[in-house]
Amino acid sequence: MSKRNLALIGATIVSIIYGITFTIAKDVMPKYIDAYGFILMRAGGSMLLFWLVWLFMPKEKIALNDFPRIIAAAFFGVAFNMLTFFKGLSLTSPISAAVIMVSTPMIVLVLSAIIIKERMKKRMVLGIVLGLIGTASLILYGKSIGDTSQSGLGNFLVLVNAISYGFYLIIVKKLMNKYSAFTFVKWIYLFGFVMVLPFGWSQFSTVDWTIVPTAIYWKIGFVVVISTFLTYLLNLLSMKELKPTTVAVFIYLQPLFATIFAISLGKDTLSLVKIGSALLIFTGVYLVTQKPPNPRRGNFKTS
């Protein structure tokens, strides 16, 4: 099997894992551990794993003037990103959270236009507007199973998480071009762990581990080891063999897998609001990410 096919398989596995994670993480919180305490475990466990793997990797020295960028990446990619996502997920449904996460490519485009002055075409603006309408509809009218009173806030926090992750992608790009990922990712998770410590320690320290079922321990381990550590390794494999735009397309599979898994376990239901919002967001993403037609195409004849 070619390296490209292996990379495609790896990217698909990442989407499946993320789709499953929406439901698995909700089984853990807030019943057994609150969102911030869970994030402390996720960041701390992943930090230890990345530092352990780094011991067996080639060593690179990071320039001191790159540490401010690493700290910013830790804030937007680990601390603020994870805190808002897990808190939002604890208040909303797995399907709603997965659908909102699809708006990430549009958010990256908007941030690129603001930060690096990237020019936007009319179809991109239309796509962003449609995506915003779909996201706003989901935030205002999407309801989750169980306590629906907080679902709007939960959807909004998931959107904030997507914006934070968009900042992270822009910030980390220069580091990826300069260093091996294992050189700086351990620092990102170390700084991220320090940042979430004040928020998560009180919730983590109050957990009554004697009443936590064995199945929940396995689900916590899944989120730390599989959903965080392993997915990052698989993404590295994919990014070495595939174009970034190709890898980004796989984020669109997450709502599909999240929906199948959540509905099959009775953890969520489909509604017209969720379906309509998803269609608007997917249409917006398509318009934003669609490549412009090649004006020279058709000028060449094939034999």
Side-chain angles (χ1 to χ4, degrees):
M1 186 177 293
S2 67
K3 290 183 178 180
R4 175 179 172 80
N5 287 337
L6 285 173
L8 291 170
I9 292 173
T12 304
I13 292 174
V14 168
S15 294
I16 294 173
I17 291 173
Y18 281 149
I20 293 174
T21 300
F22 288 103
T23 296
I24 288 182
K26 246 190 108 57
D27 288 342
V28 178
M29 58 183 187
K31 183 176 181 180
Y32 297 102
I33 182 171
D34 283 328
Y36 294 165
F38 198 2
I39 286 301
L40 183 64
M41 296 180 63
R42 184 183 184 187
S46 300
M47 174 195 68
L48 293 175
L49 289 172
F50 282 123
W51 276 90
L52 181 62
V53 170
W54 172 79
L55 294 176
F56 304 95
M57 302 298 293
K59 304 300 185 289
E60 289 181 290
K61 187 176 181 180
I62 298 178
L64 289 177
N65 58 359
D66 283 327
F67 273 98
R69 181 175 291 272
I70 290 175
I71 293 173
F75 175 78
F76 288 109
V78 177
F80 191 59
N81 171 41
M82 288 187 179
L83 290 172
T84 52
F85 175 68
F86 266 46
K87 185 63 176 178
L89 182 59
S90 70
L91 300 175
T92 188
S93 70
I95 294 177
S96 295
V99 169
I100 291 175
M101 283 303 297
V102 176
S103 63
T104 300
M106 291 188 295
I107 293 170
V108 172
L109 178 67
V110 173
L111 294 177
S112 298
I114 296 173
I115 297 173
I116 61 179
K117 309 301 181 183
E118 184 174 317
R119 186 177 179 183
M120 288 196 296
K121 300 182 182 297
K122 291 182 179 180
R123 62 174 172 78
M124 294 180 177
V125 175
L126 175 61
I128 290 170
V129 171
L130 291 176
L132 288 175
I133 294 174
T135 303
S137 299
L138 202 56
I139 290 174
L140 295 174
Y141 304 110
K143 299 297 181 182
S144 60
I145 289 180
D147 181 13
T148 61
S149 62
Q150 298 290 321
S151 59
L153 175 60
N155 290 333
F156 175 74
L157 289 175
V158 174
L159 175 63
V160 172
N161 149 77
I163 295 172
S164 177
Y165 188 67
F167 274 111
Y168 165 76
L169 291 178
I170 294 174
I171 292 170
V172 83
K173 185 176 181 180
K174 186 173 289 187
L175 294 173
M176 288 287 293
N177 293 335
K178 191 173 182 179
Y179 304 105
S180 164
F182 283 104
T183 299
F184 63 83
V185 71
K186 66 183 189 298
W187 289 106
I188 287 178
Y189 270 86
L190 175 60
F191 290 127
F193 173 74
V194 172
M195 292 175 187
V196 302
L197 189 59
F199 298 92
W201 178 253
S202 61
Q203 294 184 359
F204 174 77
S205 61
T206 57
V207 176
D208 185 359
W209 296 104
T210 60
I211 66 170
V212 176
T214 302
I216 297 300
Y217 279 107
W218 281 107
K219 290 178 179 180
I220 292 172
F222 178 90
V223 172
V224 173
V225 179
I226 306 298
S227 301
T228 308
F229 178 73
L230 180 60
T231 54
Y232 193 91
L233 296 181
L234 290 175
N235 270 329
L236 288 179
L237 169 65
S238 300
M239 291 171 66
K240 285 183 178 180
E241 301 297 331
L242 303 173
K243 295 180 181 179
T245 51
T246 304
V247 176
V249 167
F250 282 86
I251 195 174
Y252 307 150
L253 295 178
Q254 292 181 28
L256 171 64
F257 295 125
T259 299
I260 293 173
F261 192 72
I263 291 178
S264 65
L265 296 180
K267 303 293 185 178
D268 202 354
T269 57
L270 280 177
S271 66
L272 290 177
V273 171
K274 291 176 183 176
I275 295 173
S277 299
L279 289 175
L280 285 171
I281 292 174
F282 272 89
T283 302
V285 170
Y286 172 77
L287 292 173
V288 167
T289 58
Q290 184 184 29
K291 291 184 178 180
N294 188 346
R296 299 179 63 186
R297 189 175 182 181
N299 294 339
F300 300 95
K301 296 181 180 179
T302 57
S303 56

